[in-house]
Amino acid sequence: MSKISSPIIETKNLGKTVLVADGDLSILASVDLTINRGESIAIVGASGSGKSTLLGLLAGLDSPTDGTIKLDGEELTALDEDGRADIRNKLVGFVFQSFQLMPRLSALENVMLPLELRGDKQAKSTATALLERVGLGHRLEHTPMKLSGGEQQRVALARAFVTQPAILFADEPTGNLDSKTGEQIIELLFELNQEQNTTLVLVTHDTALASRCQRSVHIDAGRII
Amino acid sequence: MNRLGLALRLLKRDARSGELTLLALALIIAVTSSTAISLFADRLHRTMNSQAAEFLAADLVVTSSDVISNAWLERAEQMGLKKARTAEFSTVLIENDELLLAGIKAVSGAYPLRGLLKTRETLDSLEVVQQQGPLAGKVWVDRRVLSTLKLKIGDTLTVGEKSLIVTHVISYEPDKRGDIYSLSPRVMMNDADLQATNVLQPGSHVHYFFQFSGEANAIKRFNAWVKPLLSVSQRLMDVQDDRPELGSALSRAERYLGLSSILVILIAGVAIAMSSRRYSERHFNSTAILRCLGCKQNDILLIFLYQFFILGLIACSIGLLFGWFTQEALFHLLRSLLPAKVSDPSFIAVMLGFMTGFAILIGFSYLLCCGLSACRHYAYYAENSSH
């Protein structure tokens, strides 16, 4: 099997149950999912269906109560929090619905941050180049407060792609944007994804957006249907 | 990852955004006030102690009705203490058919160990500071001695069987006491001439004052060593014992300043704690993002601790400088109430405010950093995600 089509994410019998006042509440159950390297996949479902929980588990931000997750061959469920942080640092990029930029840092500093965490000495030039690529070369020193929603999401895209991650997790990346700006962001997301051959895992309930991915996984009441 | 480099960069970015202003201000004010008070209290304490020592002309005095054992003096010497001796007694002086009951004070060469003597060359001349008492063969007298015995500077005054030349008028002696010897007109002579006066005979009423000065610890050790050896006619005097009115004033001042220092430190602690808490709360989201980006718990702990450490170092140093200038200004404002020469502060007093501010900051920030580094990135992510 060539490396291009080899699985980069694999889950087996993945489940997440939380304890509530009435007893155990199953949020995810028996999720078997394989995502190949370079593939783009949309996880779609209604609000509360468990898609963001699945994304959090796949990214190593949360621990499952059942089953296993493998990321690039590394079993996430066998790792402690620091081990999962290491994997995130090496393999993963994030784009959040509410951008999640550091409010006190400039656009450039926000994009430099993941590189600085890796000790990359070329952080500034790499981040500048990517911000220019997303059309924000003239906004390098602006803090998020001084940027529009669309510009903030462009910065978030640049921050996510700056480390050239093997996997990009995007949670409703256009959820806080108007439709026109949202379209521009999606264009940019797919362009960067193509350029860097990143595996894209996208959570959305926008079917049009989902249709741009190579594959869609529908989730309902915590189960893949 | 170079955590120190990253901490520095993040700190610089926080400083630029004004995020550090409140915490830095709290630190600077806290360190300034505690440094100013500790320096003021310490310098005042040292000045009052040295002034009080001047009233004794020494740090420690053994009074005795007889000459003390040489072993005591040797012991003091071994401990690195300086020593001097004065002998005080009353005698009648007769000159120009006039009689006067005078208080004689025979002083050794090293007298006074603390403080200074002041004399005049003539009755009308300016006061001159003297580092030591009269030389052998000379005598210094009170102005009353000259007028009563009809003498003038350069005349001869006979004490017992010894003739001495009057060279100076005494205007100030640091250890002048309120007893009978001191109330009588003073005649000060050199200890070396005492024997030749033949005034002191067995049974004579004389008071010897063996004076010691030196490093505080050595004085303390000598005090502890000599105390059990004292006879019933011997007494040990220090500032507290010798001048009870001065001792209690000193204790009251120390208690008041001590209380002020504690209050300032408490207020400083609360200010630093509140502002560092606010600082860490405002960094909760940033920490969650750092964790999403793959920053480990220990890395976050170290990054924040480095930031607090660097910030503490800079702000506490500024506070130390301000505190120094504040206490200088206080001494300047109160100069009319204080002695002309104020003692230098101890190193501990200089660093007390700095160390207090720094210790409170690091203590509180360590707890807050532990909380920050353990922040649940997923809980934060989940709150902000679409579900």
Side-chain angles (χ1 to χ4, degrees), chain B residues 118-128 130 141-143 146 151-154 166-171:
Chain B
K118 288 179 187 166
T119 61
R120 294 177 200 275
E121 296 279 344
T122 65
L123 287 175
D124 306 321
S125 63
L126 289 173
E127 263 186 345
V128 177
Q130 302 282 358
V141 298
D142 257 0
R143 171 186 294 261
L146 293 182
L151 293 172
K152 56 184 185 305
I153 300 294
V166 180
T167 57
H168 291 84
V169 177
I170 303 175
S171 51

Side-chain angles (χ1 to χ4, degrees), chain A residues 51 61 81 100 109 116, chain B residues 9 13 16 378 380 387:
Chain A
K51 53 190 191 303
L61 292 174
E81 169 47 32
Q100 304 301 354
E109 287 161 351
E116 287 178 325
Chain B
R9 282 195 294 278
R13 290 164 191 172
R16 187 194 56 202
Y378 180 68
Y380 179 71
H387 299 284

Side-chain angles (χ1 to χ4, degrees), chain B residues 49-359:
Chain B
N49 263 340
S50 82
Q51 289 279 308
E54 272 192 32
F55 290 126
L56 277 181
D59 295 328
L60 188 72
V61 176
V62 176
T63 67
S64 174
S65 55
D66 211 341
V67 176
I68 60 170
S69 156
N70 266 339
W72 294 16
L73 302 175
E74 282 164 16
R75 181 73 181 187
E77 212 158 83
Q78 284 165 7
M79 289 181 175
L81 299 178
K82 288 187 197 161
K83 54 190 195 307
R85 188 184 88 164
T86 65
E88 293 185 31
F89 55 94
S90 295
T91 193
V92 175
L93 302 174
I94 307 169
E95 293 292 345
N96 300 317
D97 296 329
E98 299 290 342
L99 278 85
L100 177 71
L101 180 67
I104 311 293
K105 185 172 187 173
V107 302
S108 65
Y111 170 86
L113 294 173
R114 298 280 184 216
L116 296 161
L117 292 160
K118 288 179 187 166
T119 61
R120 294 177 200 275
E121 296 279 344
T122 65
L123 287 175
D124 306 321
S125 63
L126 289 173
E127 263 186 345
V128 177
V129 169
Q130 302 282 358
Q131 304 288 345
Q132 60 184 105
L135 299 173
K138 317 280 187 202
V139 69
W140 298 350
V141 298
D142 257 0
R143 171 186 294 261
R144 269 199 291 160
V145 175
L146 293 182
S147 58
T148 309
L149 297 180
K150 297 178 180 160
L151 293 172
K152 56 184 185 305
I153 300 294
D155 285 351
T156 300
L157 172 69
T158 305
V159 179
E161 295 173 10
K162 177 71 179 174
S163 293
L164 302 160
I165 298 166
V166 180
T167 57
H168 291 84
V169 177
I170 303 175
S171 51
Y172 174 77
E173 60 181 294
D175 55 337
K176 188 159 185 169
R177 310 169 63 78
D179 56 16
I180 185 74
Y181 308 111
S182 303
L183 289 174
S184 308
R186 169 68 79 220
V187 170
M188 188 179 286
M189 58 187 281
N190 194 290
D191 197 40
D193 294 324
L194 186 58
Q195 190 72 34
T197 61
N198 259 332
V199 172
L200 298 185
Q201 302 295 331
S204 292
H205 196 66
V206 58
H207 272 268
Y208 289 98
F209 297 87
F210 293 88
Q211 301 164 333
F212 303 92
S213 73
E215 199 255 321
N217 272 340
I219 288 288
K220 212 178 268 180
R221 278 188 288 125
F222 182 70
N223 189 330
W225 179 82
V226 82
K227 207 171 227 171
L229 306 176
L230 297 174
S231 70
V232 285
S233 64
Q234 291 170 329
R235 199 158 67 88
L236 211 51
M237 299 192 310
D238 59 18
V239 164
Q240 305 286 335
D241 296 336
D242 189 40
R243 292 291 181 97
E245 75 286 359
L246 198 66
S248 66
L250 210 61
S251 307
R252 272 200 298 272
E254 279 171 19
R255 276 204 299 273
Y256 176 74
L257 288 169
L259 191 66
S260 312
S261 301
I262 290 169
L263 267 177
V264 165
I265 288 167
L266 274 177
I267 294 167
V270 171
I272 295 169
M274 283 174 70
S275 47
S276 51
R277 187 184 176 83
R278 178 183 174 275
Y279 179 83
S280 63
E281 278 171 359
R282 287 173 68 91
H283 282 72
F284 184 81
N285 290 359
S286 307
T287 310
I289 296 168
L290 280 174
R291 297 209 70 184
C292 285
L293 295 176
C295 206
K296 292 178 187 168
Q297 189 165 341
N298 275 344
D299 290 335
I300 289 175
L301 180 66
L302 275 175
I303 286 169
F304 276 104
L305 277 180
Y306 280 142
Q307 288 190 47
F308 278 117
F309 189 85
I310 296 162
L311 174 71
L313 215 57
I314 295 169
C316 291
S317 301
I318 295 171
L320 176 62
L321 269 179
F322 285 176
W324 178 275
F325 288 125
T326 306
Q327 60 88 30
E328 282 289 345
L330 269 176
F331 276 111
H332 184 72
L333 284 172
L334 299 172
R335 66 189 181 283
S336 58
L337 303 171
L338 296 169
K341 170 118 180 68
V342 179
S343 302
D344 289 333
S346 64
F347 179 71
I348 291 174
V350 174
M351 294 309 290
L352 189 71
F354 183 97
M355 296 310 290
T356 305
F358 203 71

Side-chain angles (χ1 to χ4, degrees), chain A residues 48 51-53 55-56 61-62 81-82 85-86 88-89 94 96-98 100-102 104-105 109 112-113 116-117 159 171-172, chain B residues 1 6 9-10 13-14 16-17 19 282-283 286 289-298 376-378 380-381 384-387:
Chain A
K51 53 190 191 303
S52 287
T53 303
L55 191 82
L61 292 174
D62 194 13
E81 169 47 32
D82 277 354
D86 215 25
R88 283 198 298 275
N89 186 248
F94 286 100
F96 300 102
Q97 179 177 349
S98 47
Q100 304 301 354
L101 299 175
M102 300 269 227
R104 285 171 293 278
L105 305 192
E109 287 161 351
M112 283 166 64
L113 193 60
E116 287 178 325
L117 289 175
R159 183 180 66 183
D171 188 359
E172 297 282 11
Chain B
M1 188 202 315
L6 185 60
R9 282 195 294 278
L10 290 174
R13 290 164 191 172
D14 270 348
R16 187 194 56 202
S17 68
E19 190 60 33
R282 287 173 68 91
H283 282 72
S286 307
I289 296 168
L290 280 174
R291 297 209 70 184
C292 285
L293 295 176
C295 206
K296 292 178 187 168
Q297 189 165 341
N298 275 344
R376 291 293 308 272
H377 49 71
Y378 180 68
Y380 179 71
Y381 161 74
N384 289 278
S385 63
S386 57
H387 299 284

